[in-house]
Amino acid sequence: MPRDFKLPDLGEGVAEGEIVKWLVHEGDSVSEDQPMVEVMTDKATVQIPSPMTGKVGKIVAKEGQVAKVGDVLVTLDDGGSSSTKTDVAQKVPSNIQTATSIGSATQPAQAAPRPTGIGIVATPATRKLARDLGVNIESVAGSGPGGRITDDDVRKATGAQRTAAPVSQQATGQSLGQQQKQVQVQAAASPAPMPQISQALTAPVVKAGQAEERIPIHGIRRRIAEKMSKSLHTAAQVTHVDEVDYTQLIGLREKLKPLAEQQGVKLTFMPFIMQAAVACLKEFPYFNSSIDEERQEIILKHYYNIGFATDTPNGLIVPVVKDVDKKSILQIARELADLSEKARTGRIALDEIQGGTFTVTNIGTLGGLISTPIINIPEVAILGIQKIQKRPVVRENEIVIRDISFISLSFDHRVVDGADAARFATRLISILENPGLFTLGGVRFN
């Protein structure tokens, strides 16, 4: 039976995506959760899995085409006898509730079995939530439109499956830890349905003697171009520049590096800069905000998710370290290394590049004295870190050699004023130049 497969809701307000590359061809056999197509959203390039086992029919959305959520991408055939084309999601049982009885000894009822060949309808974020919570998404009843499984469905199923767990463990003789380890191994061995950033860009082939060549602007390069243009045409951007003396911070880092290495962590300056930035964001909250254009309101964020621009073979990607204010220097360093590696190798997940409230871009590793970074909208500010180098400076009427670098704070003048930017930068500098303030501010190393 032919079924239409439509571009699913990928979350985070994503309304459309560009078809970058089909991983299957018309007539190919596909299994449920097999990566089927690469789609570039304004967040990242993701691989969307097949919702069912069957054969690929007609590929409707061609490579390079921009499809909106709900547009048909491809038809899939589950081998049924009916010739009527249907939507995959329409056949999924909907509004099935998990029955519970207070004080009853009976097990909670699970979702009704899905018809053969019918796939699970759930966003990538919901699938990841299920994996993180150890929930078998196959057994979750979907209460959303068309039987879509929501985050709440997964969370409700967590309690149900935990109740059923002792019976399963008694029958198999496995401990909960053994079961979790087995699930992790199986997940690593099978194709993951969670969309991941893929290797979207390839080096152009240059023909000998060719005076010019034309390279299509698509994939991640198109998204970068669109987002940067939108940022410059939306925000009233201004850049404030100042300089930092890193000499004392370099000394502190050198003392802590061996402790970090003992735990397998490479300690860079970025964790210190992130924590210093968070201290400033708490003191100057409008730098940790966004604008609701429709309602003309400023949204102050009381959580601190710091993005960091990462240069990858596929272009610029901005992973996000969540809740930086709640983490130690060592925890941040570990996450930075992990997210950077995922970004460079194309394995980073959507939720790991979403939800940022403020961004830091370290241009200094590549050289240069001063830059004017473009705001990562909908955020209202971005901090640029430049190259650290030894320079002669005047301290107490004497010329001394210190480790100096410039910082560039680009901000949206619709939200904050230049005076506040100067105060923000001054406060940031005072923290970075006096590492003792990290301790006074309650900053933990591990």
Side-chain angles (χ1 to χ4, degrees):
M1 179 185 298
R3 303 173 185 274
D4 285 339
F5 175 63
K6 300 177 180 180
L7 180 64
D9 179 3
L10 299 176
E12 284 285 325
V14 173
E16 63 183 21
E18 177 189 342
I19 308 303
V20 176
K21 181 181 180 181
W22 280 99
L23 307 177
V24 296
H25 302 88
E26 293 182 355
D28 285 355
S29 295
V30 293
S31 58
E32 185 173 342
D33 288 337
Q34 175 183 335
M36 193 166 54
V37 61
E38 291 182 357
V39 177
M40 168 65 71
T41 72
D42 60 352
K43 305 289 184 182
T45 297
V46 300
Q47 289 185 350
I48 297 180
S50 172
M52 56 181 280
T53 296
K55 280 194 173 183
V56 178
K58 180 178 177 57
I59 293 179
V60 179
K62 307 301 181 183
E63 292 182 1
Q65 177 180 333
V66 175
K68 296 184 180 300
V69 171
D71 286 354
V72 176
L73 302 183
V74 64
T75 61
L76 300 173
D77 197 325
D78 65 355
S81 58
S82 173
S83 60
T84 304
K85 185 190 293 185
T86 61
D87 182 354
V88 173
Q90 290 174 350
K91 288 291 185 178
V92 180
S94 61
N95 299 321
I96 300 177
Q97 301 298 324
T98 301
T100 57
S101 176
I102 298 177
S104 171
T106 59
Q107 297 293 334
Q110 296 299 308
R114 291 180 175 82
T116 302
I118 300 302
I120 299 166
V121 181
T123 65
T126 301
R127 289 173 181 266
K128 183 176 186 301
L129 176 64
R131 291 199 301 276
D132 290 344
L133 296 178
V135 173
N136 178 9
I137 201 168
E138 295 271 358
S139 65
V140 179
S143 62
R148 180 170 64 84
I149 298 171
T150 66
D151 289 356
D152 286 340
D153 295 332
V154 171
R155 293 188 180 97
K156 290 177 182 177
T158 303
Q161 293 189 7
R162 282 177 180 169
T163 303
V167 177
S168 174
Q169 292 168 21
Q170 185 177 10
T172 62
Q174 288 182 318
S175 68
L176 179 59
Q178 289 173 323
Q179 290 183 344
Q180 290 175 337
K181 184 176 181 180
Q182 184 180 24
V183 169
Q184 292 170 353
V185 171
Q186 291 173 344
S190 59
M194 178 64 189
Q196 295 179 333
I197 292 192
S198 62
Q199 304 292 338
L201 296 184
T202 57
V205 178
V206 181
K207 297 179 180 179
Q210 192 176 30
E212 294 182 348
E213 60 179 314
R214 292 178 178 266
I215 302 171
I217 301 177
H218 60 77
I220 197 168
R221 177 48 53 191
R222 176 192 287 182
R223 292 302 175 184
I224 291 173
E226 290 174 350
K227 190 164 187 177
M228 295 299 97
S229 295
K230 182 178 180 181
S231 179
L232 285 175
H233 286 89
T234 301
Q237 305 208 25
V238 182
T239 302
H240 175 88
V241 178
D242 212 323
E243 66 177 14
V244 181
D245 184 343
Y246 283 94
T247 305
Q248 290 191 50
L249 183 57
I250 289 175
L252 174 62
R253 174 174 170 261
E254 290 302 314
K255 290 180 181 178
L256 296 177
K257 277 175 65 176
L259 298 176
E261 290 172 358
Q262 289 175 9
Q263 301 190 42
V265 178
K266 180 181 179 181
L267 186 60
T268 67
F269 291 107
M270 187 63 83
F272 299 97
I273 294 170
M274 281 188 170
Q275 285 201 341
V278 167
C280 296
L281 292 173
K282 288 183 176 181
E283 190 170 339
F284 304 94
Y286 281 87
F287 286 87
N288 198 57
S289 68
S290 62
I291 292 182
D292 185 330
E293 301 283 355
E294 184 177 345
R295 300 179 64 174
Q296 285 296 290
E297 294 176 341
I298 297 173
I299 305 171
L300 298 180
K301 312 291 178 63
H302 299 301
Y303 50 95
Y304 304 90
N305 300 339
I306 310 300
F308 61 102
T310 305
D311 181 34
T312 77
N314 299 324
L316 183 67
I317 295 175
V318 184
V320 178
V321 179
K322 307 290 177 61
D323 299 318
V324 170
D325 60 316
K326 299 176 183 177
K327 295 175 179 174
S328 69
I329 290 289
L330 192 60
Q331 287 174 316
I332 297 170
R334 186 177 287 110
E335 280 196 45
L336 284 169
D338 180 57
L339 291 172
S340 296
E341 179 64 18
K342 286 182 178 180
R344 284 191 293 267
T345 57
R347 296 182 295 107
I348 196 163
L350 268 177
D351 67 321
E352 293 174 321
I353 59 171
Q354 295 173 341
T357 62
F358 183 84
T359 297
V360 178
T361 175
N362 185 0
I363 307 126
T365 56
L366 301 175
L369 292 178
I370 298 174
S371 67
T372 56
I374 299 175
I375 298 169
N376 185 24
I377 57 173
E379 300 166 18
V380 301
I382 181 172
L383 177 67
I385 305 299
Q386 314 299 324
K387 176 175 61 177
I388 300 174
Q389 60 183 4
K390 293 188 178 298
R391 295 182 192 150
V393 296
V394 177
R395 294 289 185 268
E396 297 180 354
N397 294 322
E398 292 186 0
I399 298 176
V400 295
I401 303 299
R402 308 288 285 184
D403 294 287
I404 304 295
S405 171
F406 291 107
I407 57 170
S408 305
L409 178 65
S410 293
F411 59 95
D412 190 342
H413 215 318
R414 297 176 302 169
V415 180
V416 292
D417 296 327
D420 288 326
R423 295 185 185 102
F424 183 103
T426 299
R427 178 59 175 156
L428 180 71
I429 292 167
S430 70
I431 297 174
L432 295 176
E433 290 188 344
N434 298 278
L437 294 178
F438 281 99
T439 304
L440 293 176
V443 173
R444 296 174 295 116
F445 173 64
N446 55 18

